Coordinates of all heavy atoms in Angstrom, one line a residue:
V1 N 0.8 -1.2 0.0 CA 0.0 0.0 0.0 C 0.9 1.2 0.0 O 0.6 2.2 -0.7 CB -0.9 0.0 1.2 CG1 -1.6 1.3 1.4 CG2 -2.0 -1.1 1.1
D2 N 1.9 1.2 0.8 CA 2.8 2.4 0.9 C 3.5 2.7 -0.4 O 3.7 3.8 -0.8 CB 3.9 2.2 2.0 CG 3.3 2.3 3.4 OD1 2.3 2.9 3.5 OD2 4.0 1.7 4.3
S3 N 3.8 1.6 -1.2 CA 4.5 1.8 -2.5 C 3.6 2.5 -3.5 O 4.0 3.0 -4.5 CB 5.0 0.5 -3.0 OG 3.9 -0.4 -3.4
F4 N 2.2 2.4 -3.3 CA 1.3 3.0 -4.2 C 0.7 4.3 -3.6 O -0.1 5.0 -4.2 CB 0.1 2.1 -4.5 CG 0.3 1.0 -5.5 CD1 0.9 -0.2 -5.1 CD2 0.1 1.2 -6.8 CE1 1.1 -1.2 -6.0 CE2 0.4 0.2 -7.8 CZ 0.9 -1.0 -7.3
A5 N 1.2 4.7 -2.5 CA 0.7 5.9 -1.8 C 0.9 7.2 -2.6 O 1.9 7.4 -3.2 CB 1.3 6.1 -0.4
A6 N -0.2 8.0 -2.7 CA -0.1 9.3 -3.4 C -1.3 10.1 -3.0 O -2.2 9.7 -2.4 CB -0.1 9.0 -4.9
D7 N -1.2 11.4 -3.4 CA -2.3 12.3 -3.2 C -3.2 12.2 -4.5 O -2.7 12.4 -5.6 CB -1.9 13.8 -3.0 CG -1.2 13.9 -1.7 OD1 -1.6 13.3 -0.7 OD2 -0.2 14.7 -1.6
F8 N -4.5 12.1 -4.3 CA -5.4 11.8 -5.4 C -5.6 13.1 -6.2 O -6.0 14.2 -5.7 CB -6.7 11.3 -4.9 CG -7.7 11.1 -6.0 CD1 -7.5 10.3 -7.1 CD2 -9.0 11.8 -6.0 CE1 -8.4 10.1 -8.1 CE2 -9.9 11.6 -7.0 CZ -9.6 10.8 -8.1
D9 N -5.4 13.1 -7.5 CA -5.6 14.2 -8.4 C -6.4 13.6 -9.6 O -5.8 13.0 -10.5 CB -4.3 14.8 -8.9 CG -4.6 16.0 -9.8 OD1 -5.7 16.4 -10.0 OD2 -3.6 16.5 -10.3
P10 N -7.7 13.9 -9.7 CA -8.5 13.3 -10.8 C -8.1 13.7 -12.2 O -8.3 13.1 -13.2 CB -9.9 13.7 -10.5 CG -9.8 14.9 -9.5 CD -8.5 14.6 -8.8
E11 N -7.4 14.9 -12.3 CA -6.9 15.4 -13.5 C -5.8 14.5 -14.2 O -5.6 14.5 -15.4 CB -6.3 16.8 -13.4 CG -7.4 17.8 -13.0 CD -8.4 18.1 -14.0 OE1 -8.1 17.8 -15.2 OE2 -9.5 18.6 -13.7
E12 N -5.2 13.6 -13.3 CA -4.2 12.7 -13.8 C -4.7 11.5 -14.6 O -4.0 10.8 -15.2 CB -3.3 12.3 -12.7 CG -2.5 13.4 -12.0 CD -1.6 12.9 -10.9 OE1 -1.7 11.7 -10.6 OE2 -0.9 13.7 -10.3
F13 N -6.0 11.3 -14.5 CA -6.6 10.1 -15.0 C -7.4 10.4 -16.3 O -8.0 11.5 -16.4 CB -7.5 9.4 -14.0 CG -6.7 8.9 -12.8 CD1 -6.5 9.8 -11.7 CD2 -6.1 7.7 -12.7 CE1 -5.8 9.4 -10.6 CE2 -5.4 7.3 -11.6 CZ -5.2 8.1 -10.6
E14 N -7.5 9.5 -17.2 CA -8.2 9.7 -18.4 C -9.1 8.4 -18.7 O -8.7 7.3 -18.4 CB -7.2 9.9 -19.6 CG -7.9 10.1 -20.9 CD -6.8 10.2 -22.1 OE1 -5.7 9.7 -21.9 OE2 -7.1 10.7 -23.1
D15 N -10.2 8.6 -19.4 CA -11.0 7.5 -19.8 C -10.4 6.9 -21.1 O -10.6 7.4 -22.2 CB -12.5 8.0 -20.1 CG -13.4 6.9 -20.4 OD1 -13.0 5.8 -20.8 OD2 -14.6 7.1 -20.3
E16 N -9.6 5.9 -20.9 CA -8.8 5.4 -22.0 C -9.7 4.8 -23.2 O -9.4 5.0 -24.4 CB -7.9 4.3 -21.5 CG -6.8 4.8 -20.6 CD -5.9 3.7 -20.0 OE1 -6.2 2.5 -20.4 OE2 -5.0 4.0 -19.3
Y17 N -10.8 4.2 -22.8 CA -11.7 3.6 -23.8 C -12.2 4.7 -24.7 O -12.2 4.6 -26.0 CB -12.8 2.8 -23.2 CG -13.8 2.2 -24.2 CD1 -13.5 1.0 -24.8 CD2 -14.9 2.9 -24.5 CE1 -14.4 0.5 -25.7 CE2 -15.8 2.4 -25.5 CZ -15.5 1.1 -26.1 OH -16.4 0.6 -27.0
Q18 N -12.7 5.8 -24.1 CA -13.3 6.9 -24.9 C -12.2 7.5 -25.8 O -12.5 7.9 -26.9 CB -14.0 7.9 -24.0 CG -15.2 7.4 -23.3 CD -16.3 6.9 -24.3 OE1 -16.6 7.6 -25.3 NE2 -17.0 5.8 -24.0
A19 N -11.0 7.7 -25.3 CA -9.9 8.3 -26.0 C -9.6 7.4 -27.2 O -9.4 7.9 -28.3 CB -8.7 8.5 -25.1
E20 N -9.5 6.1 -27.0 CA -9.2 5.1 -28.1 C -10.3 5.1 -29.1 O -10.1 5.1 -30.4 CB -9.0 3.7 -27.6 CG -7.8 3.6 -26.7 CD -7.7 2.3 -26.0 OE1 -8.7 1.5 -26.1 OE2 -6.7 2.0 -25.2
L21 N -11.6 5.2 -28.7 CA -12.7 5.3 -29.6 C -12.7 6.5 -30.5 O -12.9 6.5 -31.7 CB -14.0 5.2 -28.8 CG -15.3 5.2 -29.6 CD1 -15.4 4.1 -30.6 CD2 -16.5 5.2 -28.7
R22 N -12.4 7.7 -29.9 CA -12.2 8.9 -30.7 C -11.1 8.8 -31.7 O -11.2 9.3 -32.8 CB -12.0 10.1 -29.7 CG -13.3 10.5 -28.9 CD -13.0 11.7 -28.0 NE -14.2 12.0 -27.2 CZ -15.3 12.7 -27.6 NH1 -15.3 13.1 -28.9 NH2 -16.3 12.9 -26.8
T23 N -10.0 8.2 -31.3 CA -8.9 8.0 -32.2 C -9.3 7.1 -33.4 O -9.0 7.4 -34.6 CB -7.7 7.3 -31.5 OG1 -7.3 8.2 -30.4 CG2 -6.5 7.1 -32.5
L24 N -10.1 6.1 -33.1 CA -10.6 5.2 -34.2 C -11.5 6.0 -35.1 O -11.4 5.8 -36.4 CB -11.3 4.0 -33.6 CG -12.0 3.1 -34.5 CD1 -11.0 2.4 -35.5 CD2 -12.8 2.0 -33.8
I25 N -12.4 6.8 -34.6 CA -13.3 7.5 -35.4 C -12.6 8.6 -36.3 O -12.9 8.7 -37.5 CB -14.4 8.3 -34.5 CG1 -15.3 7.2 -33.9 CG2 -15.2 9.3 -35.3 CD1 -16.2 7.8 -32.8
D26 N -11.6 9.2 -35.7 CA -10.8 10.2 -36.5 C -10.0 9.5 -37.6 O -9.9 10.1 -38.7 CB -9.8 10.9 -35.5 CG -10.5 11.9 -34.6 OD1 -11.7 12.2 -34.8 OD2 -9.9 12.2 -33.5
A27 N -9.5 8.3 -37.3 CA -8.8 7.6 -38.4 C -9.7 7.2 -39.5 O -9.4 7.3 -40.7 CB -8.1 6.3 -37.8
K28 N -10.9 6.8 -39.2 CA -11.9 6.4 -40.2 C -12.3 7.6 -41.1 O -12.5 7.6 -42.3 CB -13.1 5.7 -39.6 CG -12.9 4.3 -39.2 CD -14.2 3.7 -38.6 CE -14.1 2.2 -38.5 NZ -14.2 1.5 -39.8
L29 N -12.5 8.8 -40.4 CA -12.8 10.0 -41.1 C -11.7 10.4 -42.1 O -11.9 10.8 -43.2 CB -13.1 11.1 -40.1 CG -14.4 11.0 -39.3 CD1 -14.4 12.1 -38.2 CD2 -15.6 11.2 -40.3
A30 N -10.4 10.3 -41.6 CA -9.3 10.6 -42.4 C -9.1 9.7 -43.6 O -8.6 10.2 -44.7 CB -8.0 10.6 -41.5
Q31 N -9.5 8.5 -43.4 CA -9.3 7.5 -44.5 C -10.5 7.5 -45.5 O -10.5 6.8 -46.5 CB -9.2 6.1 -44.0 CG -7.9 5.9 -43.1 CD -7.9 4.5 -42.4 OE1 -8.9 3.7 -42.6 NE2 -6.9 4.3 -41.6
G32 N -11.5 8.4 -45.2 CA -12.7 8.5 -46.1 C -13.7 7.3 -45.8 O -14.6 7.1 -46.6
D33 N -13.5 6.6 -44.7 CA -14.3 5.5 -44.4 C -15.5 6.0 -43.6 O -15.7 5.7 -42.4 CB -13.6 4.4 -43.6 CG -14.4 3.1 -43.4 OD1 -15.4 3.0 -44.0 OD2 -13.9 2.3 -42.6
A34 N -16.3 6.9 -44.3 CA -17.5 7.5 -43.6 C -18.6 7.7 -44.5 O -18.5 7.6 -45.7 CB -17.0 8.8 -42.9
L35 N -19.8 7.9 -44.0 CA -21.0 8.1 -44.8 C -21.5 9.6 -44.6 O -21.2 10.2 -43.6 CB -22.1 7.1 -44.4 CG -21.8 5.7 -44.5 CD1 -22.8 4.8 -43.9 CD2 -21.6 5.3 -46.0
D36 N -22.2 10.1 -45.5 CA -22.8 11.4 -45.4 C -23.9 11.4 -44.3 O -24.8 10.6 -44.4 CB -23.4 11.9 -46.7 CG -24.0 13.3 -46.7 OD1 -25.1 13.4 -46.3 OD2 -23.2 14.2 -47.0
T37 N -23.7 12.2 -43.3 CA -24.6 12.2 -42.1 C -26.1 12.5 -42.5 O -27.0 11.9 -42.1 CB -24.1 13.2 -41.1 OG1 -22.8 12.8 -40.6 CG2 -25.1 13.2 -39.9
T38 N -26.2 13.5 -43.4 CA -27.6 13.9 -43.7 C -28.3 12.8 -44.5 O -29.5 12.5 -44.2 CB -27.6 15.2 -44.6 OG1 -26.9 16.2 -43.9 CG2 -29.0 15.7 -45.0
E39 N -27.6 12.2 -45.4 CA -28.2 11.1 -46.2 C -28.5 9.9 -45.3 O -29.5 9.1 -45.5 CB -27.4 10.7 -47.3 CG -27.2 11.8 -48.4 CD -26.4 11.3 -49.6 OE1 -25.9 10.2 -49.5 OE2 -26.1 12.1 -50.5
T40 N -27.6 9.6 -44.4 CA -27.7 8.4 -43.5 C -28.7 8.6 -42.4 O -29.6 7.8 -42.1 CB -26.3 8.1 -42.9 OG1 -25.4 7.9 -44.0 CG2 -26.4 6.7 -42.1
F41 N -28.5 9.7 -41.6 CA -29.3 9.9 -40.4 C -30.5 10.9 -40.6 O -31.3 11.0 -39.7 CB -28.4 10.4 -39.3 CG -27.3 9.5 -38.9 CD1 -26.1 9.9 -38.5 CD2 -27.5 8.1 -39.0 CE1 -25.1 9.0 -38.1 CE2 -26.5 7.2 -38.6 CZ -25.3 7.7 -38.2
G42 N -30.5 11.6 -41.7 CA -31.5 12.7 -41.8 C -31.1 13.9 -41.1 O -30.0 14.0 -40.4
E43 N -31.9 14.9 -41.1 CA -31.6 16.2 -40.5 C -31.6 16.0 -38.9 O -32.5 15.3 -38.4 CB -32.6 17.3 -40.8 CG -32.6 17.7 -42.3 CD -31.3 18.4 -42.6 OE1 -30.6 18.9 -41.7 OE2 -30.9 18.4 -43.8
A44 N -30.6 16.5 -38.3 CA -30.6 16.4 -36.8 C -31.7 17.2 -36.2 O -32.0 18.3 -36.6 CB -29.2 17.0 -36.3
E45 N -32.4 16.6 -35.2 CA -33.5 17.2 -34.5 C -32.9 18.3 -33.6 O -32.0 18.1 -32.8 CB -34.3 16.2 -33.7 CG -35.0 15.2 -34.6 CD -35.8 14.2 -33.8 OE1 -35.8 14.4 -32.5 OE2 -36.3 13.2 -34.4
Q46 N -33.6 19.5 -33.6 CA -33.2 20.6 -32.7 C -33.9 20.5 -31.4 O -35.1 20.3 -31.3 CB -33.5 22.0 -33.4 CG -32.7 22.2 -34.6 CD -31.2 22.2 -34.4 OE1 -30.7 22.7 -33.4 NE2 -30.5 21.7 -35.4

């Protein structure tokens, strides 16, 4: 326990899954592996 002792700072932690998911989405967009949102999903509801 002493070897892991530290002061907690939530800013030091990141949601790794969401970060990896965003990286995957950005890569697909960069590669052109995407669909037109308006044609696929229709107009976004306000």
Side-chain angles (χ1 to χ4, degrees):
V1 169
D2 287 339
S3 69
F4 281 90
D7 292 324
F8 178 59
D9 180 5
E11 295 293 337
E12 295 180 359
F13 298 88
E14 180 186 22
D15 187 338
E16 296 177 357
Y17 178 84
Q18 293 298 319
E20 293 169 358
L21 181 57
R22 289 182 182 277
T23 300
L24 175 61
I25 291 172
D26 291 341
K28 282 181 169 287
L29 288 170
Q31 295 170 6
D33 187 11
L35 301 171
D36 184 271
T37 300
T38 302
E39 293 181 2
T40 305
F41 298 146
E43 295 292 339
E45 297 180 1
Q46 297 297 323

